[in-house]
Amino acid sequence: TYLPLCTCSCARSSSSTLSRTYTQVHFFNPVQIMKLVEVARTEFTSPEVFEKAYQWVHHIGKVPVKCNDTPGFIVNRLLVPSMAQAMLMCGQFLHFFTIPFFFFFFGLIYNSFSFQNLHFSSWTDRNDASVHDIDISMKLGAGHPMGPLHLADYVGLDTCYYILKGWTEKYPDEPSFVVPQCLKEKVDQGDLGRKTGKGFYHWDGDKRGDPV
């Protein structure tokens, strides 16, 4: 399993005429191996331009799929929130009342601190299952080549964090976009997964070790 990394994006132009000539073509790394290419249209993309891009992907021997300009297109829109849910399952539970009560109460009164400022993930990280059991469940139960936490480590926890952070900021009302507290803590500590030797697992180069 690989996370999409190579993208040709539509230019956001104030000119609707210029915008009609652009579409989005999203390859997957490693490009020479991965067959799938997402072809996405914006509200301005002309049907003719979109069809040309779609047929071009066919012409170069890849498998195109069509979608609208949604965050993450198809694969990442499904994949990244699923990794976040795995993190929420294994994350250390932080109870609401660990927040000093006087600070919470004082903030509510003066409207300087509200439920909106309490990041939802900081009280939904749970200790439902271990890292090992989550990953082995998705491998043997869902047929995935690697578990979601293994994949997150492989891709880079900082990459996962900034994708989710950007989505939650831009789409605050989308319930599937959330930054798990355990992910933020690992990134703050510099534990970014494979690239730093430690994340949800210990790593020796590209060789994954035991869960942390």
Side-chain angles (χ1 to χ4, degrees):
T1 302
Y2 298 88
L3 195 69
L5 295 175
C6 181
T7 307
C8 299
S9 296
C10 170
R12 299 291 184 178
S13 171
S14 59
S15 168
S16 60
T17 301
L18 180 60
S19 297
R20 285 176 59 82
T21 65
Y22 285 88
T23 190
Q24 301 175 96
V25 180
H26 190 194
F27 291 83
F28 291 71
N29 252 350
V31 175
Q32 69 275 18
I33 295 175
M34 303 296 283
K35 298 289 289 183
L36 186 70
V37 176
E38 295 170 319
V39 184
R41 53 180 165 254
T42 72
E43 59 184 308
F44 302 111
T45 304
S46 74
E48 296 79 14
V49 168
F50 183 76
E51 185 61 24
K52 285 182 179 179
Y54 186 84
Q55 293 302 327
W56 175 77
V57 173
H58 263 307
H59 179 72
I60 63 174
K62 299 293 186 180
V63 178
V65 291
K66 301 176 181 179
C67 68
N68 292 330
D69 184 24
T70 185
F73 304 141
I74 298 173
V75 174
N76 275 346
R77 180 66 183 263
L78 297 172
L79 181 62
V80 175
S82 72
M83 291 194 291
Q85 287 300 312
M87 296 173 195
L88 291 172
M89 286 192 73
C90 76
Q92 180 66 43
F93 179 79
L94 298 178
H95 196 275
F96 168 76
F97 288 104
T98 59
I99 301 171
F101 180 78
F102 75 91
F103 180 66
F104 175 74
F105 183 73
F106 181 85
L108 283 180
I109 292 176
Y110 287 95
N111 200 32
S112 61
F113 190 84
S114 69
F115 281 102
Q116 291 180 339
N117 298 120
L118 285 171
H119 202 290
F120 185 70
S121 66
S122 46
W123 12 315
T124 57
D125 275 27
R126 310 177 302 272
N127 192 20
D128 291 336
S130 69
V131 170
H132 171 270
D133 287 353
I134 290 170
D135 276 352
I136 200 68
S137 294
M138 294 309 292
K139 286 182 66 177
L140 301 183
H144 293 189
M146 66 175 71
L149 300 172
H150 182 179
L151 177 60
D153 262 13
Y154 191 87
V155 169
L157 299 185
D158 52 338
T159 300
C160 298
Y161 172 75
Y162 287 112
I163 290 172
L164 287 165
K165 183 173 182 290
W167 286 358
T168 56
E169 290 173 352
K170 190 170 183 180
Y171 305 97
D173 297 326
E174 173 52 61
S176 64
F177 297 162
V178 59
V179 180
Q181 184 67 21
C182 63
L183 174 62
K184 184 179 186 304
E185 289 174 354
K186 287 183 181 296
V187 171
D188 288 344
Q189 294 165 6
D191 296 333
L192 308 181
R194 177 177 59 95
K195 66 179 73 176
T196 60
K198 182 181 178 184
F200 288 100
Y201 291 89
H202 294 286
W203 292 82
D204 181 8
D206 286 341
K207 183 179 180 182
R208 196 203 75 187
D210 293 330
V212 172

